[in-house]
Amino acid sequence: METAGLPTKELRLHLVTWNVGTASPPPDVTSLLQLNSVSPTTDMYVIGLQEVNSKITNFLSDLAFDDPWSIFFMTVLSPLGYIKLSSVRMQGLLLLIFVKHVHLPFIRDIHTHYTRTGLYGYWGNKGGVSVRMSIFGHTICFMNCHLPAHIENTEQRLDDFEKILEMQFEGENVPSPLDHEVLFWFGDLNFRIADYGIHFVRESINNKRFNLLWEKDQLNMAKKNEPFLKEFKEGPLQFKPTYKFDLYSEVYDTSEKKRKPAWTDRILWKVKNLSEVASKEGEFPEEENLISVTLNNYVSHMSYGISDHKPVTGTFKLEMKPLVSDPLVMLNPEGEWSAEHDVLIRYSAVPEFPSSSWDWIGLFQVTFRHMKDYVTYAWVEDDEISSNRHSKQVYMSASEIPKAGGEFLLCYYSNNLQSIAGISEPFQIQPSRTPVEKDLPEEGSSWLQKPDNPESGDSVESPKSSGL
């Protein structure tokens, strides 16, 4: 698609890493997510947690339903206009990505993966989980890792990270993490401060002379010596080491073990350099097609005491020339909507759009949490009532429309792309003049009776396969 002359796109990304030590969510995360910030609105939240409670009873429950942390962040962010775009869970590792509605049609090719490294790879207590995607045509990968503990295990940490890099998306038609234009690497990486004794470390921290400890930070040392780490960048560690604290305090470990403080919780990123992005002919691409990453803020949050780690956040500005400038599908409600009558949706797709009989259009409240959080839906083929060269019409039955009315929007979900191809502007459904009985779809509604989908994608399940 022609994008010459398009203005540079700026995206503001807020990334969180937190080892939550099997705790339940705290009562408030306003400061963690910078919800009171006067800065520009965040476009995307990336939340990487480690040691989410994964006792067998909790884990089996979380497989059937969203886990408490996912529900917690959805409850906080969905009223603010964010949808859970994707998530991946491996035992105690959880990665959540939330995005503003307006960006949904430009985020495609979403894939998730996990790699176990703990206990010979059989149990997922250590390892990495990833979500990758293209945003406005640029490839980005987010990788949340929990690497082996203890000061003597530096080599094991590096070996495990190399293994994770090699195994993520292996066998899939997806680039490896290092082949993405931008790779974010974060988590409880468990690197410690070498050589210095606990008293010198604590004295340096108390005097806020963190720079005295940087050169003995094991990750800083590894970045100088390990070729595969040299291109990873990190902001300055201008905050206290985030491990290990007594619970609900800002006091370092007073137990018998008296762990030496360490910057275990980190956020790094890597941008592909110009030569790596060069075309097959050996020519350098136009610079305008590149993407840049600027770190605006890299801090810890000392007020959170539910675990022995403090959370760390990084706020980034991503600047890019959009290689994708138009939604694949444009859609809008036709006429006045209410539960008094069947309603119509008109949509049009670009010529190259890979449509499928499994594509569907969902009706959502404006505060919807994720793509399964629809009020009702229509199949773009089965429920089509008219078609011409430029657009098509689909209907929804009056019995499916919420009688109480309110503010809603429509999303077109592409089964082939496993992502939202188009989203409407918010619109009003008028309250029904008849008494409101219930707003749930009628079980016997004939247009919902479809055969089960033999397969469903890894990002969003088709309503045909969800049993709804």
Side-chain angles (χ1 to χ4, degrees):
M1 186 174 294
E2 185 61 43
T3 60
L6 284 176
T8 299
K9 194 82 183 173
E10 286 190 8
L11 289 180
R12 186 176 170 86
L13 185 153
H14 189 72
L15 200 154
V16 178
T17 179
W18 193 4
N19 182 323
V20 297
T22 74
S24 298
D28 184 79
V29 285
T30 299
S31 64
L32 183 71
L33 301 181
Q34 293 187 346
L35 299 181
N36 289 337
S37 172
V38 294
S39 303
T41 305
T42 299
D43 295 287
M44 179 181 285
Y45 284 98
V46 179
I47 300 166
L49 305 180
Q50 308 85 39
E51 292 194 25
V52 173
N53 195 333
S54 55
K55 290 178 183 175
I56 194 69
T57 50
N58 298 78
F59 191 62
L60 291 175
S61 169
D62 293 346
L63 288 176
F65 310 98
D66 274 312
D67 66 276
W69 280 94
S70 296
I71 293 169
F72 171 72
F73 282 113
M74 282 190 286
T75 302
V76 171
L77 290 172
S78 65
L80 304 176
Y82 296 91
I83 174 181
K84 188 183 77 172
L85 177 75
S86 186
S87 65
V88 56
R89 170 91 184 265
M90 182 187 74
Q91 296 300 110
L93 273 169
L94 176 63
L95 177 55
L96 302 166
I97 297 186
F98 293 86
V99 68
K100 278 282 189 188
H101 298 163
V102 67
H103 301 308
L104 288 172
F106 307 102
I107 301 178
R108 302 171 191 171
D109 303 319
I110 302 165
H111 293 264
T112 64
H113 203 97
Y114 61 85
T115 299
R116 296 185 181 96
T117 58
L119 289 180
Y120 309 102
Y122 290 113
W123 187 248
N125 63 326
K126 295 289 192 295
V129 293
S130 297
V131 176
R132 64 86 56 194
M133 64 195 70
S134 76
I135 303 179
F136 292 97
H138 295 273
T139 57
I140 300 182
C141 183
F142 300 98
M143 182 183 293
N144 173 24
C145 293
H146 193 184
L147 301 180
H150 306 306
I151 193 165
E152 66 273 13
N153 285 331
T154 303
E155 288 305 316
Q156 186 64 53
R157 286 188 273 278
L158 296 172
D159 289 347
D160 281 9
F161 181 48
E162 272 201 290
K163 177 185 176 183
I164 293 165
L165 284 172
E166 289 169 4
M167 295 186 69
Q168 294 284 288
F169 309 114
E170 191 177 40
E172 300 182 38
N173 189 24
V174 173
S176 74
L178 290 173
D179 286 329
H180 286 72
E181 289 174 68
V182 181
L183 168 61
F184 287 94
W185 172 39
F186 49 94
D188 179 359
L189 307 184
N190 252 323
F191 289 99
R192 308 302 170 99
I193 297 170
D195 299 340
Y196 296 143
I198 188 170
H199 297 295
F200 178 80
V201 170
R202 288 193 173 187
E203 192 66 21
S204 300
I205 295 167
N206 290 338
N207 293 325
K208 292 186 167 55
R209 300 187 69 186
F210 306 130
N211 59 308
L212 298 179
L213 308 175
W214 291 345
E215 65 176 18
K216 292 299 182 180
D217 173 81
Q218 292 174 331
L219 180 54
N220 285 343
M221 292 192 289
K223 282 171 61 186
K224 293 176 182 174
N225 301 322
E226 300 289 339
F228 77 101
L229 289 181
K230 284 186 177 177
E231 290 181 9
F232 279 95
K233 296 180 180 177
E234 183 182 21
L237 297 168
Q238 300 280 17
F239 49 86
K240 284 184 175 184
T242 51
Y243 174 84
K244 173 182 178 158
F245 288 90
D246 291 347
L247 296 186
Y248 299 101
S249 81
E250 297 183 18
V251 177
Y252 284 108
D253 186 17
T254 58
S255 71
E256 285 184 17
K257 291 182 178 178
K258 282 192 169 57
R259 297 279 191 207
K260 187 163 59 171
W263 285 290
T264 53
D265 310 281
R266 312 285 279 269
I267 300 172
L268 297 91
W269 73 96
K270 175 187 176 295
V271 180
K272 256 191 159 186
N273 64 45
L274 204 58
S275 60
E276 289 181 277
V277 190
S279 63
K280 290 178 183 176
E281 289 77 28
E283 298 174 357
F284 287 102
E286 293 182 31
E287 197 161 334
E288 67 176 22
N289 286 349
L290 298 183
I291 183 169
S292 70
V293 177
T294 305
L295 176 67
N296 292 333
N297 200 16
Y298 189 36
V299 295
S300 66
H301 297 260
M302 295 295 289
S303 63
Y304 294 93
I306 61 172
S307 83
D308 53 6
H309 290 252
K310 301 298 182 184
V312 171
T313 61
T315 305
F316 296 87
K317 180 175 70 174
L318 276 61
E319 293 180 279
M320 65 193 86
K321 276 286 186 181
L323 306 179
V324 173
S325 58
D326 298 312
L328 293 169
V329 174
M330 301 286 288
L331 73 163
N332 58 274
E334 292 225 301
E336 183 179 278
W337 276 43
S338 80
E340 303 287 332
H341 53 78
D342 292 349
V343 292
L344 298 177
I345 302 161
R346 184 174 294 278
Y347 75 92
S348 59
V350 297
E352 66 271 21
F353 178 63
S355 62
S356 158
S357 61
W358 295 98
D359 290 357
W360 50 278
I361 295 173
L363 176 68
F364 296 85
Q365 292 184 305
V366 288
T367 56
F368 73 118
R369 296 176 166 212
H370 50 78
M371 273 311 294
K372 296 180 188 177
D373 197 18
Y374 45 77
V375 176
T376 186
Y377 55 88
W379 307 115
V380 297
E381 286 196 8
D382 296 5
D383 300 309
E384 183 182 300
I385 59 169
S386 74
S387 173
N388 60 41
R389 247 178 57 205
H390 304 293
S391 65
K392 297 182 178 184
Q393 270 188 328
V394 172
Y395 88 98
M396 284 182 175
S397 168
S399 63
E400 311 302 324
I401 304 304
K403 293 182 175 62
E407 192 174 22
F408 293 81
L409 48 76
L410 297 164
C411 291
Y412 185 112
Y413 186 80
S414 165
N415 191 65
N416 285 332
L417 299 178
Q418 292 289 300
S419 63
I420 294 171
I423 186 169
S424 75
E425 292 291 329
F427 64 96
Q428 291 291 325
I429 294 179
Q430 299 304 314
S432 175
R433 289 187 292 273
T434 56
V436 176
E437 294 173 12
K438 60 177 183 177
D439 275 350
L440 295 174
E442 300 286 341
E443 280 190 29
S445 181
S446 60
W447 68 282
L448 288 172
Q449 307 307 310
K450 310 286 184 183
D452 285 338
N453 186 2
E455 296 178 0
S456 66
D458 62 357
S459 296
V460 178
E461 193 176 3
S462 163
K464 291 190 183 185
S465 64
S466 68
L468 295 177

